[in-house]
Amino acid sequence: MDAEQLRENAHKMVDFIADYYKNIENFPVLSQVEPGYLHKLLPDSAPTKPESLQHVFDDIQEKILPGVTHWQSPNYFAYYPSNGSIAGFMGEMLSAGLNIVGFSWITSPAATELEVIVLDWFAKMLKLPEDFLSAGQGGGVIQGTASEAVLVVLLAARDRLSRRTGKTALEKLVAYASDQTHSSLQKACQIAGIHSENCRVLKTDSSTNYALSPELLDEAISHDLAAGLIPFFLCATVGTTSSTAVDPLPALGEISKRNGMWFHVDAAYAGSACICPEFRHYIDGVEDADSFNMNAHKWFLTNFDCSLLWVKDRNALVQALSTNPEYLKNKASQANLVVDYKDWQIPLGRRFSAGFQIIETLDGVKTVWFGKPTGLYKKPCQVGCTF
C-alpha cells in the first residue's frame, strides 16, 4: 500500500473496531463454539489470490468473532480486569506503525529513555522508595507479564547467591510463597532449575484472610536451615488471584532481610489501586523488597501486555541475563552510558511500549494519561495524588 491506500484502509479498520466496541454488549461474553469449529469453516491451505479488505472483515464477523471471548465486554467478570481503552488502542496503533525493535539504547534511543522516565514517574506515583528509581542503582522496566517479571528476578536472585556459594549449591536453594501465590512462581522455579521439592508452598487459611503467616514462614526457614538447605527467595503477594489476599509485607521483609533472601512483591493484581492514597498502605513494607511488580493491563486501561517491574539493583538483572555478542556491541553500551533493556528481560527483541501525554482539561480539572505511546489511564489530579 502507498500512503493514501494506507489512509483509506486504516480508516476502514478503525470503523470496524469502533462498530465492534459499539455493539460489544450484544455479544455473549463467553464464546459458544465447540472445539475445532474453525477447521470446518476455513480451507485446508492458504489462499493463492488476494481478497478484498471487505471480504476479510466479513470473514472476521462470521467466523472469528463467534469464537472470541469478549474480554472488553462490560459484562466480563472472569479471571481479572483487563479492560483496555481507546487511548491505549490508539497507542498500540502508533507503536505498530513505528514498528521499533528497541532492545538496546542505540536501536532507538527515544524508546529506551522514555521507558526509563515513565517508569520513574510511575514509581513516584506509587511512592516506591528512591532505591527503585533510575537515578540510583535501581530502575523500572516493562515486562510482558508478571510471569516474566518473577522469572527474571528469580534468576537474578539465584545468580546473586551462586556467586557467593558456588554453582554446586543450586540443588540446595529454596524459594517460599503461600498457597495463594500465582502458579507462575512454580513455573519460574522449574525454568530456573530450582527443584520442585524446594519450592515451598506454605498453607494459608481464613484466620489470616489467606495471607502468608510470618510465623509459618519463620518455622519453614528454620527447618530448612537445619537440614542444610539455603533459603534464597520469597515471593509475597498484594492481591492474590484466587482470593485477593494481601501478605504482611513489613513482617515478611524483616524475615527476608534477616536470612539474606531476595524479597519480591507481586502486586500484579492490586498494585494499580495503590496509587490512590487511601490504598497505598497495602504496600507498606515495600521498602525492604528487592523487586516490585504490578500489571498496568489490569485496572489501568492499558492494552495487554504491560507488566511493570522495578528492582533496587539493576546490575543483578544484567549480570544474570546479559549477553554481548559482537553484533550487539556499540560505543554507548560499552561505555556504560545507557540502559540496554535486552539485559533486563528474557527475549532479545522488545517493542516501543511506554509514553506519556497530557491530553485535555475536563471540567477545569487537569487530566493525565500515561502509559503506552499515547496513554493508558485517565485520572483527575486531586489532593493527595502525585504526578
Side-chain angles (χ1 to χ4, degrees):
M1 297 183 195
D2 60 27
E4 292 310 311
Q5 289 172 319
L6 168 63
R7 196 183 315 277
E8 177 185 354
N9 287 303
H11 277 296
K12 292 178 181 177
M13 180 65 74
V14 170
D15 285 343
F16 182 87
I17 295 171
D19 287 341
Y20 169 72
Y21 285 160
K22 184 178 180 179
N23 297 304
I24 194 169
E25 295 179 54
N26 298 325
F27 293 103
V29 175
L30 182 65
S31 171
Q32 305 298 300
V33 300
E34 297 294 329
Y37 89 100
L38 199 54
H39 285 285
K40 301 173 184 176
L41 300 178
L42 295 182
D44 291 335
S45 57
T48 56
K49 296 180 180 179
E51 297 178 342
S52 68
L53 185 58
Q54 185 55 53
H55 189 273
V56 173
F57 285 149
D58 290 343
D59 270 355
I60 294 171
Q61 194 76 49
E62 297 168 9
K63 300 171 184 177
I64 301 302
L65 288 186
V68 168
T69 293
H70 300 279
W71 284 63
Q72 305 310 311
S73 171
N75 300 313
Y76 180 93
F77 297 105
Y79 295 113
Y80 50 80
S82 62
N83 298 95
S85 64
I86 302 302
F89 156 58
M90 292 175 66
E92 292 291 329
M93 288 178 62
L94 179 56
S95 180
L98 295 175
N99 199 28
I100 289 168
V101 185
F103 50 80
S104 61
W105 179 87
I106 200 169
T107 60
S108 271
T112 294
E113 295 195 13
L114 188 59
E115 185 164 339
V116 170
I117 292 167
V118 169
L119 269 291
D120 277 349
W121 284 341
F122 221 124
K124 291 174 183 177
M125 286 185 282
L126 283 164
K127 295 189 179 352
L128 294 183
E130 290 188 3
D131 290 344
F132 285 113
L133 302 180
S134 64
Q137 296 301 310
V141 58
I142 297 176
Q143 301 285 343
T145 68
S147 300
E148 294 171 54
V150 73
L151 173 58
V152 297
V153 297
L154 185 79
L155 293 170
R158 181 199 67 183
D159 286 10
R160 184 178 72 175
L161 188 67
S162 69
R163 284 191 292 274
R164 298 202 309 261
T165 62
K167 296 179 181 178
T168 56
L170 180 62
E171 63 183 20
K172 297 181 179 180
L173 300 187
V174 184
Y176 302 84
S178 84
D179 59 3
Q180 302 299 300
T181 301
H182 198 277
S183 61
S184 58
L185 175 62
Q186 292 178 309
K187 181 178 284 189
C189 286
Q190 292 172 222
I191 296 171
I194 307 303
H195 291 192
S196 58
E197 62 268 25
N198 286 356
C199 186
R200 297 279 179 270
V201 178
L202 305 177
K203 187 173 178 54
T204 62
D205 58 44
S206 58
S207 67
T208 60
N209 289 323
Y210 297 98
L212 177 58
S213 163
E215 293 76 21
L216 189 61
L217 174 64
D218 235 345
E219 182 181 332
I221 290 174
S222 296
H223 182 271
D224 287 333
L225 286 171
L229 300 176
I230 305 174
F232 87 108
F233 189 87
L234 170 63
C235 181
T237 306
V238 177
T240 61
T241 300
S242 57
S243 59
T244 67
V246 176
D247 289 334
L249 303 189
L252 299 180
E254 178 58 35
I255 294 171
S256 296
K257 186 163 51 175
R258 191 167 66 242
N259 290 281
M261 300 162 63
W262 185 291
F263 183 31
H264 175 63
V265 175
D266 176 2
Y269 185 6
S272 301
C274 296
I275 280 182
C276 300
E278 63 269 32
F279 299 126
R280 172 56 178 75
H281 67 276
Y282 286 111
I283 57 171
D284 285 352
V286 72
E287 296 77 16
D288 288 328
D290 294 281
S291 51
F292 177 86
N293 168 238
M294 60 154 285
N295 285 350
H297 55 248
K298 299 185 177 93
W299 293 17
F300 257 82
L301 305 181
T302 312
N303 288 47
F304 185 84
D305 47 0
C306 187
S307 186
L308 312 183
L309 171 68
W310 289 270
V311 293
K312 283 183 177 177
D313 179 11
R314 58 178 175 264
N315 287 326
L317 286 183
V318 173
Q319 289 174 340
L321 301 169
S322 176
T323 57
N324 195 31
E326 191 64 36
Y327 53 82
L328 294 180
K329 292 179 180 178
N330 61 85
K331 291 181 180 179
S333 296
Q334 288 176 283
N336 201 29
L337 297 174
V338 296
V339 168
D340 287 332
Y341 276 129
K342 70 179 179 62
D343 299 329
W344 296 40
Q345 61 177 22
I346 299 302
L348 170 64
R350 68 193 332 264
R351 60 197 183 104
F352 191 178
S353 57
F356 179 98
Q357 185 176 11
I358 296 177
I359 299 293
E360 61 185 334
T361 299
L362 181 64
D363 297 331
V365 179
K366 182 176 287 187
T367 301
V368 178
W369 298 81
F370 49 94
K372 293 192 180 181
T374 59
L376 59 104
Y377 176 74
K378 180 177 178 182
K379 181 178 179 62
C381 294
Q382 300 170 339
V383 176
C385 295
T386 304
F387 291 94

